[in-house]
Amino acid sequence: QVQVVESGGGLVQPGGSLRLSCAASGFSFSTYGISWYRQAPGKERELVAAFISIGSRTNYGDSVKGRFTIYRDNPKNTVYLQMNSLKPEDTAVYYCNSGPRGQDTFRRYWGQGTQVTVSS
């Protein structure tokens, strides 16, 4: 069964760090790109970071450049999002998106999301 599972979210103080994990089952991250999106209440879903398999290229949203890093561990079939210098505005549910491309900008497979809360 195709499955994507996020983990690693939680409560952290401003300036702190978290590492999110996205583990895939039923398909390989080696042949698909992976993106992290986030969505805060009342706001649209926002691209955080993307990893493109061919060439191992990365892209980042403007609001997280210089603070977040996306990388892949092929033997574990897992993609990570290292989040440093966290700000309250980073508070959101973070989703992992991968697999074949759909009819829009998103890929077909989504995780259930993991909550990140940045607060004192």
Side-chain angles (χ1 to χ4, degrees):
Q1 183 180 3
V2 172
Q3 186 171 289
V4 177
V5 179
E6 304 98 332
S7 62
L11 175 64
V12 65
Q13 293 184 341
S17 298
L18 285 173
R19 189 181 74 166
L20 306 184
S21 299
C22 177
S25 300
F27 72 100
S28 176
F29 280 145
S30 298
T31 56
Y32 293 117
I34 310 98
S35 297
W36 283 96
Y37 290 86
R38 67 186 183 188
Q39 189 164 22
K43 297 184 178 180
E44 293 187 3
R45 189 164 298 184
E46 174 189 19
L47 176 67
V48 177
F51 186 97
I52 296 85
S53 295
I54 300 177
S56 298
R57 293 173 289 123
T58 59
N59 290 313
Y60 297 94
D62 290 338
S63 63
V64 307
K65 288 180 179 177
R67 299 189 297 121
F68 291 9
T69 303
I70 186 171
Y71 61 99
R72 181 180 65 190
D73 187 334
N74 285 334
K76 295 182 178 179
N77 206 24
T78 299
V79 170
Y80 301 95
L81 182 68
Q82 180 65 47
M83 310 164 66
N84 298 326
S85 302
L86 283 162
K87 305 175 181 179
E89 50 263 45
D90 295 319
T91 296
V93 178
Y94 284 70
Y95 298 92
C96 185
N97 181 223
S98 189
R101 292 189 179 275
Q103 300 184 66
D104 50 24
T105 59
F106 305 121
R107 301 177 185 274
R108 292 181 59 189
Y109 309 143
W110 290 92
Q112 82 289 344
T114 185
Q115 176 71 48
V116 173
T117 302
V118 184
S119 176
S120 299

